[in-house]
Amino acid sequence: MAEQVRGVPEPAAELPVARVVVDTPLPHLDRLFDYLVPAPLDAAAVPGCRVRIRFAGKLVDGFLMERVETTEHQGRLTRLERVVSAEPVLTPEIAALARVVADHYAGTMADVLRLAVPPRHARVEAEAVAASGTGTDPRAESEAAEPSGEPGSERTAGEPETGEAGPRPPEPVRERREHGPGEEQGVVPGPGQGGDSEPERGPGPWADYREGEAFLAALAKGGSPRAVWTALPGTDQDGPGWPRAVAVAVRETLHGGRGALVVLPDGKDVALADAALSAVLGPGAHVALTADLGPAERYRRWLRLSRGQVRVAVGTRAAAFAPVADLGLAVIWDDGDDLHSERLAPYPHTREVLALRAHRARAGLLIGGYARTAEATQLIATGWAGPIVAARQAVRARAPRVRPAGEDSELARDEAARAARLPSLAWRILRTGLESGPVLVQVPRRGYLPALACQGCRAPARCGHCGGPFALRGGHVAPYCRWCGRIAGEWRCPSCGGARVRAQVVGARRTAEELGRAFPSVRVKTSGRDGVLATVGAARALVVATPGAEPVPEGGYAAAVLLDGWALLGRPDLRAAEETLRRWMNAAALLRPSAELVVLADSSLPVVQALLRWDPVTHAERELADRTELGFPPAVKMATLTGSPAGVREMLGEVALPPEAQVLGPVPVASPRGDQVRERAMVRIARGSGATLAAALKGAVGVRSARKAAEVVKVCIDPLDVI
């Protein structure tokens, strides 16, 4: 091993070598390092605990992944400085998942662990120790460590064997085929398979779906069904139906002896699911994890999961890594919401994380939503998941009555409707709806007037200092620059010399102001970024909301108007049509059955037709077919390289791409503030070669990191903003 040095504690008698993942952002150090465990830290240094180590001459944090008997390092090993806490916060399953996610997205394990494990809160850990009645603090032994002052180890280790999944659960109702997410094969149980649910529990909302009861039966038997669920619209006195359906699926999973995990886009959805789980499972059977809990309470609830005190978790995207014991079902609701995409490196998407986790843990996966993404449709097309849809009769009974404002009969009655922002049809629907309850007006843009143009030549009004767009915060203030904040007191159009501006886009606040003048006796409520309303009562009210911020009405909205469809559909984005339909359907699903909905968009567009028929499945299949023909995700794997022109070109020259990879670009892209020159290159490859592409890019990033390249290049696998 290593020779004894005078004054330095003896190494541990058994398993004296600790393999540690170091908390460092440097890609070329994304590996395990070996350290010596001193005898005083023997009991506290357990796999999964937090440790402090000396690395490159500095004290840094890390996680102890495993302990082994010997090391292949030829020199003397550095000793652990101390064990921060003997709490095993990193379970073997989450450690293995973090490694897989890091490799999948060409990132580092340390970056993934920052997303997966919340910061330590010592007082919360001490509370748990006191409650256990043992009278011992798991941190006590960690304070006995003595600094070694030795240089860091040079040993590199592979992925720990402790990351493998636990005991194999019972087989699902159909033969399991071992394939990863996005590969061929796989299964949701078909109708009638897996036996009937027990009558005392009942299928609840799943009785409305052809495959619903078979899905529940598979969960109750400990199986691992994987399904893409297209939920029915409609809201009653108890709210939307999807939270209760999710709660029933979780209940059946618990009945099958396994845990469950539910991941939702935002806190408003978490509150709905939290209430439904409490009603179905009873209080205390689950924990909710959201950012607004505060560090102490969030860590307290996270520890309850880690210690196996509860087996169900619901939360936002970080909850995808929650340490649920013996996971049997992972649920993601509204997977098309961009809130499911992590903004921090390595930029994982919740849907992909849960698919990887479900595959490794042999657990079920439920991807739900009112609309359907092309990625979820791809999982069905490859056979990895099966569909859960309702019969058309049930859809017709629950869906609203959709009317496009530009239909021929309306244009014949009101010729100005084509140019009006709120045509007469919309006014009639709002007025009629207000007679029986609240009505919803969805506006794509927040703010007052978020974009201005010259009144004379219609050229966009931009700041002379930084080139940023001008906007208005209210009706009696001067325009200001949205980038640098300067007031446009003496602005003149550089094209025509005009000094007056007009609105390019009308925001939610301006819309609420106009509707308040039109309906002076009706209360107007707004919900958006400045303040999101969770619910509204059954009384008559005008609710103006931006997409995703629509409050849940008591008993459902009596009517709704979806404004400015051109603003959503006209975006230069590969997912513009898919995202528009998702936002429209999420709002329309809050209406009462057969309530009237007006959408201001051309009725001949496929996305509008999908809303009229309430048929997101056909639209998603068409989207997938179009992307397959054009060679865009999810039909292919794609990575983007973004940075300075020199950095992007240098990396493209260094990376050893597979021969079949195709490079598009680089081309200029807009920087966040417009003050930097940036370029982006796209690399695409067949889906089956995605792992090879990720490994090549990760290797190139590591090489650049090792030689301290000045130009930083951002690598993103399967980005949302492809175009």
Side-chain angles (χ1 to χ4, degrees):
M1 234 357 259
E3 59 178 292
Q4 173 63 20
V5 179
R6 184 181 298 275
V8 176
E10 287 277 355
E14 297 182 1
L15 303 177
V17 179
R19 289 179 174 171
V20 178
V21 58
V22 182
D23 186 5
T24 174
L26 301 177
H28 67 285
L29 300 178
D30 184 29
R31 55 182 183 257
L32 299 182
F33 292 87
D34 286 1
Y35 285 82
L36 204 62
V37 181
L41 299 184
D42 188 16
V46 297
C49 72
R50 291 181 169 99
V51 295
R52 291 279 284 175
I53 52 177
R54 191 166 294 279
F55 188 81
K58 298 180 181 179
L59 283 176
V60 297
D61 295 319
F63 289 97
L64 195 158
M65 301 295 291
E66 62 177 340
R67 289 179 58 174
V68 295
E69 190 66 41
T70 60
T71 178
E72 296 177 1
H73 179 58
Q74 300 302 315
R76 190 173 63 189
L77 292 181
T78 302
R79 288 170 169 77
L80 296 178
E81 290 293 324
R82 70 185 181 98
V83 175
V84 177
S85 168
E87 185 75 38
V89 292
L90 184 58
T91 64
E93 183 206 356
I94 301 304
L97 177 65
R99 178 72 273 164
V100 171
V101 170
D103 293 341
H104 183 84
Y105 284 98
T108 66
M109 187 172 181
D111 283 339
V112 177
L113 290 179
R114 291 191 197 103
L115 306 174
V117 183
R120 178 175 180 253
H121 204 280
R123 180 172 58 83
V124 173
E125 287 184 2
E127 290 172 357
V129 171
S132 68
T134 62
T136 59
D137 189 336
R139 297 169 293 146
E141 293 179 277
S142 68
E143 303 303 328
E146 298 180 10
S148 65
E150 299 176 2
S153 164
E154 299 298 330
R155 165 71 167 84
T156 302
E159 182 178 346
E161 293 297 322
T162 54
E164 295 303 318
R168 182 174 179 175
E171 290 293 316
V173 291
R174 283 171 60 180
E175 180 183 357
R176 184 186 307 280
R177 305 167 196 169
E178 295 304 319
H179 291 269
E183 298 176 353
E184 300 296 328
Q185 315 300 327
V187 46
V188 65
Q193 293 178 325
D196 297 325
S197 298
E198 294 184 16
E200 64 269 23
R201 295 197 304 270
W206 293 101
D208 294 328
Y209 301 89
R210 291 191 291 264
E211 303 87 356
E213 295 188 50
F215 179 75
L216 295 182
L219 293 174
K221 289 187 174 183
S224 307
R226 300 186 292 252
V228 176
W229 167 40
T230 307
L232 284 169
T235 301
D236 54 25
Q237 297 300 326
D238 297 327
W242 68 263
R244 181 169 177 81
V246 169
V248 170
V250 170
R251 180 195 67 194
E252 296 303 303
T253 305
L254 291 177
H255 185 77
R258 306 182 71 183
L261 174 61
V262 181
V263 185
L264 307 167
D266 54 35
K268 179 165 62 74
D269 292 328
V270 171
L272 293 174
D274 186 26
L277 287 168
S278 296
V280 173
L281 305 181
H286 73 284
V287 293
L289 303 173
T290 55
D292 58 1
L293 290 173
E297 180 58 27
R298 180 179 175 84
Y299 191 54
R300 183 179 292 110
R301 297 184 182 188
W302 191 88
L303 283 179
R304 292 186 64 197
L305 285 168
S306 178
R307 293 167 176 168
Q309 296 170 352
V310 290
R311 304 181 66 186
V312 178
V314 57
T316 47
R317 64 174 179 260
F321 295 96
V324 175
D326 192 14
L327 184 68
L329 175 66
V331 180
I332 177 173
W333 172 257
D334 199 12
D335 65 301
D337 196 314
D338 59 4
L339 292 176
H340 283 301
S341 181
E342 180 59 59
R343 270 54 173 177
L344 301 176
Y347 319 106
H349 194 285
T350 304
R351 177 186 55 246
E352 302 305 315
V353 172
L354 291 182
L356 290 168
R357 185 172 182 182
H359 175 65
R360 291 186 61 84
R362 301 179 64 83
L365 179 65
L366 180 63
I367 302 173
Y370 295 118
R372 182 188 284 183
T373 60
E375 287 76 10
T377 306
Q378 174 80 6
L379 294 179
I380 295 175
T382 59
W384 193 81
I388 295 182
V389 295
R392 287 305 299 175
Q393 294 85 344
V395 173
R396 294 189 186 99
R398 300 278 294 275
R401 295 171 54 197
V402 183
R403 300 180 63 181
E407 58 186 10
D408 294 341
S409 59
E410 281 299 319
L411 292 176
R413 180 182 302 178
D414 179 12
E415 294 183 0
R418 190 185 302 275
R421 181 165 184 257
L422 210 65
S424 58
L425 172 63
W427 289 111
R428 291 200 308 271
I429 296 302
L430 291 177
R431 190 176 298 108
T432 303
L434 285 171
E435 296 175 359
S436 56
V439 298
L440 173 67
V441 179
Q442 186 194 74
V443 184
R445 304 291 180 88
R446 61 185 176 89
Y448 192 77
L449 295 178
L452 301 175
C454 173
Q455 189 177 55
C457 67
R458 302 298 195 265
R462 293 193 171 273
C463 175
H465 176 74
C466 69
F470 281 145
L472 275 178
R473 290 192 178 95
H476 303 286
V477 295
Y480 76 101
C481 175
R482 287 167 49 193
W483 286 359
C484 67
R486 282 177 166 79
I487 302 299
E490 299 180 357
W491 175 85
R492 286 194 173 275
C493 176
S495 299
C496 68
R500 303 187 67 180
V501 295
R502 68 187 298 273
Q504 273 189 315
V505 178
V506 179
R509 286 177 49 212
R510 175 61 180 265
T511 303
E513 182 181 288
E514 294 174 350
L515 291 174
R517 290 196 294 263
F519 297 94
S521 61
V522 179
R523 185 176 181 182
V524 179
K525 301 181 179 181
T526 59
S527 181
R529 182 174 179 178
D530 298 333
V532 177
L533 297 177
T535 60
V536 294
R540 60 198 302 258
L542 273 164
V543 180
V544 180
T546 52
E550 301 90 353
V552 177
E554 182 182 336
Y557 288 109
V561 175
L562 308 177
L563 289 180
D564 302 340
W566 60 269
L568 292 175
L569 292 169
R571 294 179 302 136
D573 192 325
L574 176 69
R575 306 173 191 272
E578 176 183 282
E579 177 68 4
T580 299
L581 182 61
R582 186 189 69 82
R583 293 182 176 188
W584 284 350
M585 285 191 158
N586 284 355
L590 299 176
L591 271 66
R592 302 168 186 171
S594 300
E596 291 207 277
L597 169 72
V598 176
V599 54
L600 272 67
D602 187 350
S603 60
S604 63
L605 296 174
V607 63
V608 179
Q609 287 295 315
L611 181 65
L612 289 172
R613 301 190 306 271
W614 202 269
D615 185 13
V617 173
T618 301
H619 185 269
E621 291 172 346
R622 182 184 293 114
E623 276 282 309
L624 179 60
D626 291 344
R627 295 189 200 177
T628 301
E629 182 178 355
L630 297 173
F632 283 115
V636 298
K637 272 286 181 180
M638 183 167 284
T640 58
L641 283 63
T642 308
S644 66
V648 172
R649 285 173 167 78
E650 183 179 330
M651 184 166 174
L652 285 174
E654 295 173 344
V655 63
L657 292 173
E660 65 272 24
Q662 181 182 10
V663 179
L664 307 176
V667 296
V669 294
S671 65
R673 294 184 56 85
D675 54 356
Q676 297 177 337
V677 179
R678 294 167 64 85
E679 288 188 349
R680 183 177 70 173
M682 295 189 293
V683 184
R684 64 181 176 186
I685 199 169
R687 286 192 62 84
S689 302
T692 305
L693 174 62
L697 293 174
K698 184 173 181 176
V701 171
V703 170
R704 292 176 58 81
S705 171
R707 60 182 177 82
K708 299 180 180 180
E711 303 291 346
V712 177
V713 177
K714 172 185 171 183
V715 175
C716 189
I717 305 291
D718 287 340
L720 289 181
D721 55 340
V722 174
I723 295 179

